[in-house]
Amino acid sequence: MASKEELMTLPGIGESTAQKILAYREEHGFFKLEDLMEVPGIGEKKFEKLKDRIAL
């Protein structure tokens, strides 16, 4: 699992979004890559930029 610092190395992911990702992961978990779009601030455009750089 990626740390906040590791998440922040992804394009378009700052401290605030990284924290939202961690909070979502803790509360709900990620079961498929597309679940990342459930995180506030991550829509289709941002997901398209990230999908080839992330893994479950």
Side-chain angles (χ1 to χ4, degrees):
M1 286 196 276
S3 68
K4 183 167 94 173
E5 290 75 20
E6 290 169 322
L7 290 170
M8 290 171 54
T9 66
L10 295 168
I13 304 296
E15 187 172 354
S16 175
T17 304
Q19 189 59 46
K20 290 176 186 175
I21 292 169
L22 293 175
Y24 184 93
R25 182 174 71 193
E26 187 175 309
E27 191 171 325
H28 304 282
F30 292 105
F31 300 99
K32 59 185 189 237
L33 293 180
E34 292 79 8
D35 288 346
L36 191 60
M37 289 189 283
E38 297 296 322
V39 175
I42 300 182
E44 267 189 62
K45 285 184 179 184
K46 192 174 283 190
F47 176 74
E48 286 298 317
K49 293 178 185 178
L50 297 172
K51 71 178 183 179
D52 294 331
R53 297 173 175 245
I54 58 176
L56 293 178

